[in-house]
Amino acid sequence: SDIYRVWPNRTAQLEVANPGQVHQWVVETTTGKPLRVVAAVAVSGDGQHTMLKRPENAGVDVHLSDWDTWISWQGDDYLAPLGMSLTGSLLVESNINADKVGIFELADGGEMKPVFTPENADLGDVMLDLTSNAVMAVGWDYLRREMHFMDELVDSDLKAFRAQADADEELPMITSRSADDTLWVLKVQSSSRPAQYWLYR
């Protein structure tokens, strides 16, 4: 699909035209930076996926040969863009080979710098800062739900909520957040009853 910029007066302007191979677009959403398409995932006829970085001066028409190649992977592997960091690198969730499972920063030249790699399972959910896209927490399921916190406030908030929970309840999953990050919707699963949803403020 093509990408359009929609203005407050309800008019739409073509931002980027899909030449046909693009499977996913990556949009810059960090605070203080202009909203624009910065990268794309292209898929070739043989199933190879390629993460491409858009040049600063690129126009509406996409000529993928002019875009910089970040990294390529086969269809059996998995790599999903999460968002751009404040330093200009791309945060990705990766499951490429056994040594590239987790959250990574994808720098120019295709170098993958680990942010977090779980020891015993694939990742399940990732919580990002709404303004900077910094990783705040990650969750995954092994024997039970586990979480790793990179933000002390998130850690303390979820521990406070967990202290009120029943013993058979798993760690909560944050399923939705308000724009100012003051309200969270938490999903709590238990072995003894259906899942419950809580509004946490």
Side-chain angles (χ1 to χ4, degrees):
S1 59
D2 301 330
I3 297 293
Y4 286 83
R5 184 180 296 270
V6 180
W7 300 98
N9 62 3
R10 299 184 180 180
T11 60
Q13 174 186 346
L14 181 63
E15 179 77 9
V16 181
N18 191 340
Q21 304 101 308
V22 174
H23 171 72
Q24 183 177 5
W25 301 103
V26 181
V27 178
E28 172 71 81
T29 58
T30 49
T31 299
K33 294 189 177 183
L35 191 68
R36 64 185 296 268
V37 174
V38 293
V41 178
V43 183
S44 63
D46 62 359
Q48 177 171 277
H49 292 62
T50 303
M51 184 75 70
L52 299 164
K53 184 178 182 181
R54 185 186 187 190
E56 289 288 339
N57 58 352
V60 170
D61 294 328
V62 176
H63 302 282
L64 296 181
S65 58
D66 297 333
W67 289 38
D68 298 325
T69 298
W70 247 331
I71 191 173
S72 296
W73 67 97
Q74 294 301 318
D76 292 340
D77 293 322
Y78 174 80
L79 190 146
L82 298 175
M84 300 294 295
S85 71
L86 291 177
T87 60
S89 59
L90 178 64
L91 282 171
V92 297
E93 181 180 345
S94 170
N95 192 342
I96 301 178
N97 302 322
D99 61 334
K100 290 186 173 64
V101 176
I103 306 297
F104 294 82
E105 280 195 7
L106 187 58
D108 289 341
E111 180 185 2
M112 296 180 66
K113 300 178 180 179
V115 176
F116 176 77
T117 56
E119 294 182 358
N120 48 21
D122 296 339
L123 290 180
D125 52 294
V126 182
M127 181 181 183
L128 301 178
D129 186 280
L130 296 178
T131 57
S132 68
N133 278 337
V135 179
M136 304 176 75
V138 294
W140 67 96
D141 292 303
Y142 184 48
L143 299 177
R144 293 195 62 169
R145 176 167 169 78
E146 300 181 38
M147 293 193 73
H148 177 80
F149 299 98
M150 299 181 180
D151 184 277
E152 293 183 358
L153 292 178
V154 175
D155 186 9
S156 61
D157 280 339
L158 290 187
K159 281 182 177 177
F161 179 87
R162 184 70 183 87
Q164 307 171 42
D166 297 333
D168 62 346
E169 290 181 349
E170 296 189 356
L171 289 168
M173 176 184 296
I174 301 172
T175 61
S176 183
R177 300 150 70 189
S178 62
D180 60 2
D181 213 17
T182 59
L183 294 175
W184 296 348
V185 175
L186 303 180
K187 178 182 179 181
V188 181
Q189 293 184 303
S190 168
S191 59
S192 60
R193 54 167 172 71
Q196 291 184 338
Y197 290 84
W198 294 74
L199 181 64
Y200 184 81
R201 63 180 76 201

